[in-house]
Amino acid sequence: MKKILTIALVVILAVGLLASCGKKEADTIKVGILGCHTGEYAQYGLAVLNGAQLYVDKVNADGGINGKQVESIVYDDKGDATEAVNAFSRMVDNDGITALLGSVLSGATIAVVQDAPSNMPIITASATAAEVTYNEGKVYSNVFRTCFIDPFQGQKMAQYAGELLQAKTAAVVFETGNDYAVGLKDAFIAECETLGITVVADEGYSTGDKDFKSQLTNINSKGADVIFLPNYYEDNALIVTQARQIGIDSVFMGGDGWASISKYATAEDLEGSIYCSAYAAGSTDEIKDFEATYTEEFGTDTLNMFAALGYDAAVVLLDALAAAEDKGLDTGSDDYKDAVIDAMKNTTSVGITSTYAFDEYNNPIKDAVIIKIEGGSENFSLMF
């Protein structure tokens, strides 16, 4: 009899443990956060990760979503497209994510989008290439972003050059083969042509180049009122520094990849430079509160536009997850994911940088923030 009772007790305990494990799984919503957390562009990736996690932690501290905690599944893709696809596959196959926030760089994000199931909800805070959400006549209905697209930024900078700087000539130095740089460059040149601004030089360079004297010498011989640098901050800092060394005094301009450039070039060399952003530091009470909370948690090294956009991406995504939970659907099911996608498409989420709505290409409808570098500080100038 004792043996029978012992076996029965073991069975009861085993069933209880299984039920407990099942309950734990059901009480968790797994969200992937993918980006370049190490390597050359970690300044972007860590900012997005920290900003997103800040909002996830806030929601969890307030009780979660429908009583369920949001679990962040974090992978570092090092900014590499192949690494990004492999990491995403592990998130889906091994970790069972319900949605993805990522990746960070355009090339890595495009690779993931093209590999992902069409019902996987995806939102990126920073991948600006147009092809992320729309390519070859196809809109990826499951993919959204909280940042501007490259053509928008390039167009805005050309308009600013013509309307506010009264520029008549322009030059461009861009990284060939980089989706982000090429997208901004093409849009800038096209808008310059429309506005009657003559592009006197269109200079490319290869990934990893550190010496830009050849391109800059050519530009210097032709003269340019403005020089557009549609690259990431480290390359742009080197280009500006070398340009000043050979006597170029043109106004430098760029896209949101300029964020935090003041840490990589001198205040004197950067003085008067202009770039397009989606984030005006310290401009509203909401942004000030965000900055204070972020600084307390992560310090100031990665407090930039990408942190705010990461936070906003999490707001939009978790609001959509809440909408799917409200429908009483099984977390992670196909119907659940479809409900998340539908909620993102029709969002009215209020983030740090904007109240969100998306156009027919799932790009955010929002104004551009113009940042001007003065005295070594990247300061909000105007909405444009």
Side-chain angles (χ1 to χ4, degrees):
M1 177 63 77
K2 280 187 176 181
K3 185 175 181 180
I4 294 173
L5 287 173
T6 300
I7 293 172
L9 182 59
V10 169
V11 171
I12 290 169
L13 287 171
V15 171
L17 286 171
L18 287 171
S20 176
C21 290
K23 184 177 187 298
K24 184 177 180 181
E25 185 71 21
D27 285 350
T28 301
I29 304 171
K30 294 184 177 182
V31 172
I33 302 180
L34 176 65
C36 44
H37 306 145
T38 59
E40 186 177 1
Y41 303 116
Q43 184 82 8
Y44 303 144
L46 291 174
V48 170
L49 170 62
N50 293 343
Q53 192 61 52
L54 195 66
Y55 186 71
V56 170
D57 290 344
K58 179 180 183 298
V59 169
N60 284 339
D62 290 339
I65 298 175
N66 195 24
K68 301 175 182 178
Q69 292 287 287
V70 179
E71 180 183 354
S72 299
I73 306 297
V74 179
Y75 279 81
D76 176 15
D77 63 25
K78 305 176 182 65
D80 179 80
T82 301
E83 291 262 9
V85 170
N86 291 338
F88 174 71
S89 296
R90 291 194 294 273
M91 285 179 168
V92 174
D93 297 336
N94 300 340
D95 301 307
I97 64 168
T98 294
L100 174 70
L101 197 159
S103 185
V104 171
L105 301 185
S106 289
T109 307
I110 289 170
V112 169
V113 166
Q114 292 175 345
D115 186 70
S118 61
N119 72 335
M120 173 60 70
I122 298 174
I123 187 164
T124 174
S126 52
T128 53
E131 293 80 8
V132 168
T133 64
Y134 176 79
N135 193 26
E136 297 182 352
K138 174 186 176 182
V139 176
Y140 295 111
S141 61
N142 60 315
V143 184
F144 301 82
R145 65 178 121 213
T146 50
C147 55
F148 299 128
I149 63 172
D150 297 339
F152 176 86
Q153 297 188 77
Q155 182 183 55
K156 282 291 182 180
M157 285 292 90
Q159 291 170 355
Y160 187 98
E163 295 176 21
L164 278 76
L165 301 180
Q166 301 296 304
K168 302 301 180 185
T169 57
V172 181
V173 183
F174 73 100
E175 181 184 353
T176 58
N178 182 303
D179 293 325
Y180 171 78
V182 171
L184 266 74
K185 182 264 297 186
D186 288 347
F188 178 82
I189 291 175
E191 189 66 13
C192 281
E193 293 173 354
T194 299
L195 298 173
I197 300 172
T198 302
V199 177
V200 298
D202 179 9
E203 298 283 341
Y205 67 88
S206 299
T207 302
D209 284 355
K210 302 299 180 184
D211 186 346
F212 306 97
K213 293 289 178 61
S214 175
Q215 295 92 332
L216 292 169
T217 299
N218 183 46
I219 290 172
N220 200 23
S221 70
K222 296 181 177 180
D225 297 327
V226 299
I227 301 175
F228 186 59
L229 305 181
N231 317 296
Y232 297 126
Y233 56 92
E234 288 187 325
D235 285 359
N236 291 332
L238 288 173
I239 294 168
V240 170
T241 300
Q242 293 174 28
R244 300 308 189 205
Q245 288 171 351
I246 65 172
I248 292 176
D249 60 1
S250 306
V251 175
F252 281 95
M253 311 182 74
D256 55 14
W258 274 62
S260 298
I261 194 173
S262 55
K263 299 177 182 178
Y264 296 86
T266 68
E268 182 180 1
D269 288 346
L270 291 170
E271 184 67 23
S273 296
I274 302 290
Y275 69 87
C276 180
S277 179
Y279 173 61
S283 59
T284 67
D285 290 340
E286 291 79 11
I287 287 178
K288 290 175 182 176
D289 289 344
F290 162 75
E291 291 169 341
T293 305
Y294 187 98
T295 299
E296 182 178 356
E297 187 71 22
F298 303 109
T300 58
D301 286 350
T302 57
L303 178 55
N304 55 40
M305 178 191 74
F306 298 99
L309 290 174
Y311 187 96
D312 283 5
V315 171
V316 174
L317 179 56
L318 268 60
D319 280 357
L321 290 168
E325 288 289 333
D326 286 345
K327 293 181 179 294
L329 302 169
D330 292 336
T331 303
S333 66
D334 288 344
D335 287 343
Y336 185 98
K337 291 175 182 176
D338 288 341
V340 173
I341 292 167
D342 184 64
M344 283 201 286
K345 182 64 180 177
N346 297 290
T347 190
T348 56
S349 294
V350 179
I352 296 299
T353 69
S354 179
T355 296
Y356 282 88
F358 294 105
D359 65 16
E360 66 270 30
Y361 303 109
N362 293 346
N363 299 317
I365 302 168
K366 56 199 291 191
D367 291 329
V369 174
I370 303 300
I371 302 296
K372 186 173 184 178
I373 302 177
E374 298 172 305
S377 297
E378 300 170 42
N379 301 320
F380 168 67
S381 179
L382 74 156
M383 305 298 292
F384 187 71

Coordinates of all heavy atoms in Angstrom, one line a residue, residues 219-287:
I219 N 36.6 67.7 -54.2 CA 35.5 68.6 -53.8 C 36.0 70.0 -53.6 O 35.4 71.0 -54.1 CB 34.8 68.1 -52.6 CG1 34.0 66.8 -52.9 CG2 33.8 69.2 -52.0 CD1 33.4 66.2 -51.6
N220 N 37.1 70.2 -53.0 CA 37.7 71.5 -52.7 C 38.1 72.2 -54.0 O 37.9 73.5 -54.0 CB 39.0 71.3 -51.9 CG 39.4 72.6 -51.1 OD1 38.5 73.4 -50.9 ND2 40.6 72.7 -50.8
S221 N 38.4 71.5 -55.0 CA 38.8 72.1 -56.3 C 37.6 72.7 -57.0 O 37.7 73.6 -57.9 CB 39.5 71.1 -57.2 OG 38.7 70.1 -57.6
K222 N 36.4 72.1 -56.7 CA 35.2 72.5 -57.4 C 34.3 73.5 -56.6 O 33.5 74.2 -57.2 CB 34.4 71.3 -57.7 CG 35.1 70.3 -58.7 CD 34.2 69.1 -59.0 CE 34.9 68.2 -60.1 NZ 34.1 67.0 -60.4
G223 N 34.5 73.5 -55.3 CA 33.7 74.4 -54.5 C 32.3 73.9 -54.3 O 31.7 73.4 -55.2
A224 N 31.8 73.9 -53.0 CA 30.5 73.5 -52.7 C 30.0 74.3 -51.5 O 30.7 74.4 -50.5 CB 30.4 72.0 -52.4
D225 N 28.8 74.9 -51.6 CA 28.2 75.6 -50.5 C 28.0 74.7 -49.3 O 28.2 75.0 -48.1 CB 26.9 76.3 -50.9 CG 27.2 77.4 -51.9 OD1 28.3 78.0 -51.9 OD2 26.3 77.6 -52.8
V226 N 27.5 73.5 -49.6 CA 27.2 72.5 -48.6 C 27.8 71.1 -49.0 O 27.9 70.8 -50.2 CB 25.7 72.3 -48.3 CG1 25.1 73.6 -47.8 CG2 24.9 71.8 -49.6
I227 N 28.1 70.3 -48.0 CA 28.6 69.0 -48.3 C 27.7 68.0 -47.5 O 27.7 68.1 -46.3 CB 30.1 68.8 -47.9 CG1 30.9 69.7 -48.7 CG2 30.5 67.3 -48.2 CD1 32.4 69.7 -48.4
F228 N 27.1 67.1 -48.2 CA 26.2 66.1 -47.6 C 26.9 64.8 -47.3 O 27.4 64.2 -48.2 CB 25.0 65.9 -48.5 CG 23.9 65.1 -47.9 CD1 23.2 65.4 -46.7 CD2 23.5 63.9 -48.6 CE1 22.2 64.7 -46.2 CE2 22.4 63.1 -48.0 CZ 21.8 63.5 -46.9
L229 N 26.9 64.4 -46.0 CA 27.5 63.2 -45.6 C 26.4 62.2 -45.1 O 26.0 62.3 -43.9 CB 28.5 63.4 -44.5 CG 29.6 64.5 -44.8 CD1 30.6 64.6 -43.6 CD2 30.4 64.1 -46.1
P230 N 25.9 61.3 -45.9 CA 24.8 60.5 -45.5 C 25.2 59.2 -44.8 O 24.7 58.1 -45.1 CB 24.1 60.2 -46.8 CG 25.2 60.2 -47.8 CD 26.3 61.2 -47.3
N231 N 26.3 59.2 -44.0 CA 26.9 58.0 -43.4 C 26.7 58.0 -41.9 O 26.0 58.8 -41.4 CB 28.4 58.1 -43.8 CG 28.6 58.5 -45.2 OD1 28.2 57.8 -46.1 ND2 29.3 59.6 -45.4
Y232 N 27.4 57.0 -41.3 CA 27.3 56.9 -39.8 C 28.3 57.8 -39.2 O 29.3 58.2 -39.8 CB 27.4 55.5 -39.4 CG 26.3 54.6 -39.9 CD1 26.6 53.4 -40.6 CD2 25.0 54.9 -39.7 CE1 25.6 52.6 -41.1 CE2 24.0 54.1 -40.2 CZ 24.3 53.0 -40.9 OH 23.2 52.2 -41.4
Y233 N 28.2 58.1 -37.9 CA 28.9 59.1 -37.2 C 30.4 59.0 -37.2 O 31.1 60.0 -37.4 CB 28.4 59.2 -35.7 CG 28.5 57.9 -34.9 CD1 29.7 57.6 -34.2 CD2 27.5 57.0 -35.0 CE1 29.8 56.5 -33.5 CE2 27.6 55.8 -34.2 CZ 28.8 55.5 -33.5 OH 28.9 54.4 -32.8
E234 N 31.0 57.8 -37.1 CA 32.4 57.7 -37.1 C 33.1 58.1 -38.4 O 34.1 58.8 -38.4 CB 32.8 56.3 -36.6 CG 32.5 56.0 -35.2 CD 33.1 54.7 -34.7 OE1 33.1 53.7 -35.5 OE2 33.5 54.6 -33.6
D235 N 32.5 57.6 -39.5 CA 33.0 58.0 -40.8 C 32.8 59.5 -41.0 O 33.7 60.2 -41.5 CB 32.3 57.3 -41.9 CG 32.8 55.8 -42.0 OD1 33.7 55.4 -41.3 OD2 32.2 55.1 -42.9
N236 N 31.6 60.0 -40.7 CA 31.4 61.5 -40.9 C 32.4 62.3 -40.1 O 32.8 63.4 -40.5 CB 29.9 61.8 -40.5 CG 28.9 61.2 -41.4 OD1 29.2 61.0 -42.6 ND2 27.7 60.9 -40.9
A237 N 32.7 61.9 -38.9 CA 33.6 62.6 -38.0 C 35.0 62.7 -38.7 O 35.6 63.8 -38.7 CB 33.7 62.0 -36.6
L238 N 35.4 61.6 -39.2 CA 36.7 61.6 -39.9 C 36.7 62.5 -41.2 O 37.7 63.2 -41.4 CB 37.1 60.1 -40.3 CG 37.5 59.2 -39.2 CD1 37.6 57.8 -39.8 CD2 38.8 59.6 -38.6
I239 N 35.6 62.4 -41.9 CA 35.5 63.2 -43.1 C 35.6 64.7 -42.8 O 36.3 65.5 -43.4 CB 34.3 62.9 -43.9 CG1 34.4 61.4 -44.4 CG2 34.1 63.8 -45.1 CD1 33.1 60.9 -45.0
V240 N 34.8 65.1 -41.8 CA 34.7 66.5 -41.4 C 36.1 67.0 -40.9 O 36.6 68.1 -41.3 CB 33.7 66.8 -40.3 CG1 33.8 68.2 -39.7 CG2 32.3 66.5 -40.9
T241 N 36.7 66.2 -40.1 CA 38.1 66.5 -39.6 C 39.1 66.7 -40.7 O 39.8 67.7 -40.8 CB 38.6 65.5 -38.6 OG1 37.6 65.4 -37.5 CG2 39.9 65.8 -38.1
Q242 N 39.1 65.8 -41.6 CA 40.1 65.9 -42.7 C 39.7 67.0 -43.7 O 40.6 67.6 -44.3 CB 40.1 64.5 -43.5 CG 40.7 63.4 -42.6 CD 40.6 62.0 -43.3 OE1 40.6 61.9 -44.5 NE2 40.6 61.0 -42.5
A243 N 38.4 67.3 -43.9 CA 38.0 68.4 -44.7 C 38.5 69.7 -44.2 O 39.1 70.6 -44.9 CB 36.5 68.4 -44.9
R244 N 38.4 69.9 -42.9 CA 38.8 71.2 -42.3 C 40.4 71.3 -42.4 O 40.9 72.4 -42.5 CB 38.4 71.2 -40.8 CG 36.9 71.2 -40.6 CD 36.1 72.2 -41.3 NE 34.7 72.3 -40.9 CZ 33.7 72.7 -41.7 NH1 34.0 73.1 -43.0 NH2 32.5 72.7 -41.2
Q245 N 41.1 70.2 -42.3 CA 42.5 70.2 -42.4 C 43.0 70.7 -43.7 O 44.1 71.3 -43.8 CB 43.1 68.8 -42.1 CG 43.0 68.3 -40.7 CD 43.3 66.9 -40.5 OE1 43.5 66.1 -41.4 NE2 43.4 66.4 -39.2
I246 N 42.3 70.5 -44.8 CA 42.7 71.0 -46.1 C 42.0 72.3 -46.5 O 42.1 72.7 -47.6 CB 42.5 69.9 -47.2 CG1 41.0 69.6 -47.4 CG2 43.2 68.6 -46.9 CD1 40.8 68.7 -48.6
G247 N 41.3 72.9 -45.5 CA 40.8 74.2 -45.7 C 39.4 74.3 -46.2 O 38.9 75.4 -46.6
I248 N 38.6 73.2 -46.3 CA 37.2 73.3 -46.7 C 36.4 73.9 -45.6 O 36.5 73.5 -44.4 CB 36.7 71.9 -47.0 CG1 37.4 71.3 -48.3 CG2 35.2 71.9 -47.2 CD1 37.0 69.9 -48.6
D249 N 35.6 74.9 -45.9 CA 34.8 75.6 -44.9 C 33.3 75.5 -45.2 O 32.5 76.3 -44.7 CB 35.2 77.1 -44.8 CG 35.1 77.9 -46.1 OD1 34.6 77.3 -47.1 OD2 35.4 79.1 -46.1
S250 N 32.9 74.6 -46.1 CA 31.5 74.4 -46.4 C 30.7 74.0 -45.2 O 31.3 73.4 -44.2 CB 31.4 73.3 -47.5 OG 32.2 73.6 -48.6
V251 N 29.4 74.2 -45.3 CA 28.5 73.7 -44.2 C 28.3 72.2 -44.4 O 27.9 71.7 -45.5 CB 27.1 74.4 -44.2 CG1 26.2 73.8 -43.2 CG2 27.3 75.9 -44.0
F252 N 28.5 71.4 -43.4 CA 28.3 69.9 -43.5 C 26.9 69.6 -43.1 O 26.3 70.2 -42.1 CB 29.3 69.1 -42.7 CG 30.6 69.0 -43.4 CD1 31.7 69.9 -43.1 CD2 30.8 68.0 -44.3 CE1 32.9 69.8 -43.7 CE2 32.1 67.9 -44.9 CZ 33.1 68.8 -44.6
M253 N 26.3 68.6 -43.8 CA 24.9 68.2 -43.5 C 24.8 66.7 -43.5 O 25.6 66.0 -44.1 CB 23.9 68.8 -44.5 CG 24.1 70.3 -44.8 SD 22.9 70.9 -46.0 CE 21.4 70.8 -45.0
G254 N 23.8 66.1 -42.8 CA 23.6 64.7 -42.8 C 22.3 64.2 -42.3 O 21.4 65.1 -42.0
G255 N 22.1 62.9 -42.2 CA 20.9 62.3 -41.7 C 21.1 61.9 -40.2 O 22.0 62.3 -39.6
D256 N 20.2 61.1 -39.8 CA 20.2 60.7 -38.3 C 21.4 59.9 -37.9 O 21.6 59.7 -36.7 CB 18.9 60.1 -37.9 CG 18.5 58.8 -38.8 OD1 19.4 58.3 -39.5 OD2 17.3 58.4 -38.7
G257 N 22.1 59.4 -38.9 CA 23.4 58.7 -38.5 C 24.4 59.6 -37.9 O 25.4 59.1 -37.4
W258 N 24.2 60.9 -37.9 CA 25.1 61.8 -37.3 C 24.9 61.9 -35.8 O 25.8 62.4 -35.1 CB 24.8 63.2 -37.8 CG 25.5 63.6 -39.1 CD1 25.4 63.0 -40.3 CD2 26.5 64.7 -39.3 NE1 26.2 63.6 -41.2 CE2 26.8 64.6 -40.6 CE3 27.0 65.6 -38.4 CZ2 27.8 65.5 -41.1 CZ3 27.9 66.5 -38.9 CH2 28.3 66.5 -40.3
A259 N 23.9 61.3 -35.2 CA 23.6 61.4 -33.8 C 24.9 61.0 -33.0 O 25.5 59.9 -33.3 CB 22.4 60.5 -33.4
S260 N 25.3 61.8 -32.0 CA 26.4 61.6 -31.2 C 27.8 61.9 -31.8 O 28.8 61.5 -31.3 CB 26.4 60.2 -30.6 OG 25.3 59.9 -29.8
I261 N 27.8 62.5 -33.0 CA 29.0 62.8 -33.7 C 29.9 63.7 -32.9 O 31.1 63.7 -33.1 CB 28.7 63.4 -35.1 CG1 30.0 63.3 -35.9 CG2 28.1 64.8 -35.0 CD1 29.8 63.7 -37.4
S262 N 29.3 64.5 -32.0 CA 30.1 65.5 -31.3 C 31.1 64.8 -30.3 O 32.1 65.4 -29.8 CB 29.2 66.4 -30.4 OG 28.4 65.6 -29.6
K263 N 31.0 63.5 -30.1 CA 32.0 62.7 -29.3 C 33.2 62.3 -30.1 O 34.1 61.8 -29.6 CB 31.3 61.5 -28.7 CG 30.1 61.8 -27.8 CD 29.4 60.6 -27.3 CE 28.2 60.9 -26.4 NZ 27.5 59.7 -25.9
Y264 N 33.1 62.5 -31.5 CA 34.1 61.9 -32.3 C 34.9 63.0 -33.2 O 35.8 62.6 -33.9 CB 33.5 60.9 -33.3 CG 32.9 59.7 -32.5 CD1 31.6 59.8 -32.0 CD2 33.7 58.6 -32.3 CE1 31.1 58.7 -31.3 CE2 33.2 57.5 -31.5 CZ 31.9 57.6 -31.0 OH 31.4 56.5 -30.3
A265 N 34.5 64.2 -33.1 CA 35.2 65.3 -33.8 C 35.2 66.5 -32.9 O 34.4 66.6 -32.0 CB 34.6 65.6 -35.2
T266 N 36.1 67.5 -33.2 CA 36.1 68.7 -32.3 C 35.0 69.6 -32.5 O 34.4 69.6 -33.6 CB 37.4 69.4 -32.6 OG1 37.4 70.0 -33.9 CG2 38.7 68.5 -32.5
A267 N 34.7 70.4 -31.5 CA 33.6 71.4 -31.6 C 33.9 72.4 -32.7 O 33.0 72.8 -33.5 CB 33.5 72.1 -30.3
E268 N 35.1 72.8 -32.9 CA 35.5 73.7 -33.9 C 35.2 73.2 -35.3 O 34.7 73.9 -36.1 CB 37.0 74.1 -33.8 CG 37.5 75.1 -34.8 CD 38.9 75.5 -34.6 OE1 39.6 74.9 -33.7 OE2 39.4 76.3 -35.4
D269 N 35.6 72.0 -35.6 CA 35.4 71.4 -36.9 C 33.9 71.2 -37.2 O 33.5 71.3 -38.4 CB 36.1 70.0 -37.0 CG 37.7 70.2 -37.1 OD1 38.1 71.4 -37.3 OD2 38.4 69.2 -36.9
L270 N 33.1 70.8 -36.2 CA 31.7 70.5 -36.4 C 30.8 71.8 -36.4 O 29.6 71.7 -36.8 CB 31.2 69.6 -35.3 CG 31.8 68.1 -35.4 CD1 31.4 67.4 -34.2 CD2 31.3 67.4 -36.7
E271 N 31.3 72.9 -36.0 CA 30.5 74.1 -35.7 C 29.7 74.4 -37.0 O 30.2 74.5 -38.1 CB 31.4 75.3 -35.4 CG 30.7 76.6 -35.1 CD 29.9 76.5 -33.8 OE1 30.3 75.6 -32.9 OE2 29.0 77.3 -33.6
G272 N 28.4 74.6 -36.7 CA 27.5 75.0 -37.8 C 26.9 73.8 -38.6 O 26.1 74.1 -39.5
S273 N 27.4 72.6 -38.4 CA 26.9 71.5 -39.1 C 25.4 71.2 -38.8 O 24.9 71.5 -37.7 CB 27.7 70.2 -38.8 OG 29.0 70.4 -39.2
I274 N 24.7 70.7 -39.7 CA 23.2 70.4 -39.6 C 22.9 69.0 -39.9 O 23.5 68.4 -40.8 CB 22.5 71.3 -40.7 CG1 22.8 72.8 -40.5 CG2 21.0 71.1 -40.6 CD1 22.2 73.4 -39.2
Y275 N 22.0 68.4 -39.1 CA 21.5 67.1 -39.5 C 20.1 66.9 -39.2 O 19.5 67.5 -38.3 CB 22.4 65.9 -39.0 CG 22.4 65.7 -37.5 CD1 21.4 64.9 -36.9 CD2 23.4 66.2 -36.7 CE1 21.4 64.6 -35.5 CE2 23.4 66.0 -35.3 CZ 22.4 65.2 -34.7 OH 22.4 64.9 -33.4
C276 N 19.5 65.9 -39.9 CA 18.1 65.6 -39.7 C 17.9 64.5 -38.7 O 18.6 63.5 -38.7 CB 17.5 65.1 -41.1 SG 15.8 64.6 -41.1
S277 N 17.0 64.7 -37.8 CA 16.8 63.8 -36.7 C 15.3 63.6 -36.4 O 14.4 64.2 -37.1 CB 17.4 64.3 -35.4 OG 17.3 63.4 -34.3
A278 N 15.0 62.6 -35.5 CA 13.6 62.4 -35.1 C 13.4 62.7 -33.6 O 12.4 62.4 -33.0 CB 13.2 61.0 -35.4
Y279 N 14.4 63.4 -33.0 CA 14.5 63.5 -31.6 C 15.0 64.9 -31.2 O 16.2 65.2 -31.6 CB 15.3 62.4 -31.0 CG 15.6 62.5 -29.5 CD1 14.6 62.4 -28.6 CD2 16.9 62.5 -29.1 CE1 14.8 62.5 -27.2 CE2 17.2 62.6 -27.7 CZ 16.2 62.5 -26.8 OH 16.4 62.6 -25.4
A280 N 14.3 65.7 -30.4 CA 14.7 67.0 -30.0 C 15.0 66.9 -28.5 O 14.0 67.0 -27.7 CB 13.7 68.0 -30.3
A281 N 16.2 66.7 -28.1 CA 16.5 66.5 -26.7 C 16.1 67.6 -25.8 O 16.3 68.8 -26.1 CB 18.1 66.3 -26.5
G282 N 15.4 67.3 -24.7 CA 15.0 68.3 -23.7 C 13.9 69.3 -24.2 O 13.7 70.3 -23.5
S283 N 13.2 68.9 -25.3 CA 12.3 69.9 -25.8 C 10.9 69.9 -25.2 O 10.1 70.8 -25.4 CB 12.2 69.7 -27.3 OG 11.8 68.4 -27.7
T284 N 10.5 68.8 -24.6 CA 9.2 68.6 -23.9 C 9.4 68.0 -22.5 O 10.4 67.4 -22.2 CB 8.3 67.7 -24.8 OG1 8.8 66.4 -24.7 CG2 8.2 68.2 -26.2
D285 N 8.3 68.1 -21.7 CA 8.4 67.5 -20.4 C 8.5 66.0 -20.5 O 9.2 65.4 -19.7 CB 7.1 67.9 -19.6 CG 7.1 69.4 -19.2 OD1 8.2 70.0 -19.2 OD2 6.0 69.9 -18.9
E286 N 7.8 65.4 -21.5 CA 7.9 64.0 -21.7 C 9.3 63.5 -22.0 O 9.8 62.5 -21.5 CB 6.9 63.5 -22.8 CG 5.4 63.7 -22.4 CD 4.9 65.1 -22.6 OE1 5.7 66.0 -23.1 OE2 3.8 65.4 -22.1
I287 N 9.9 64.3 -22.9 CA 11.3 63.9 -23.2 C 12.3 64.1 -22.1 O 13.1 63.3 -21.8 CB 11.8 64.7 -24.5 CG1 11.1 64.2 -25.7 CG2 13.3 64.6 -24.6 CD1 11.4 64.9 -27.0

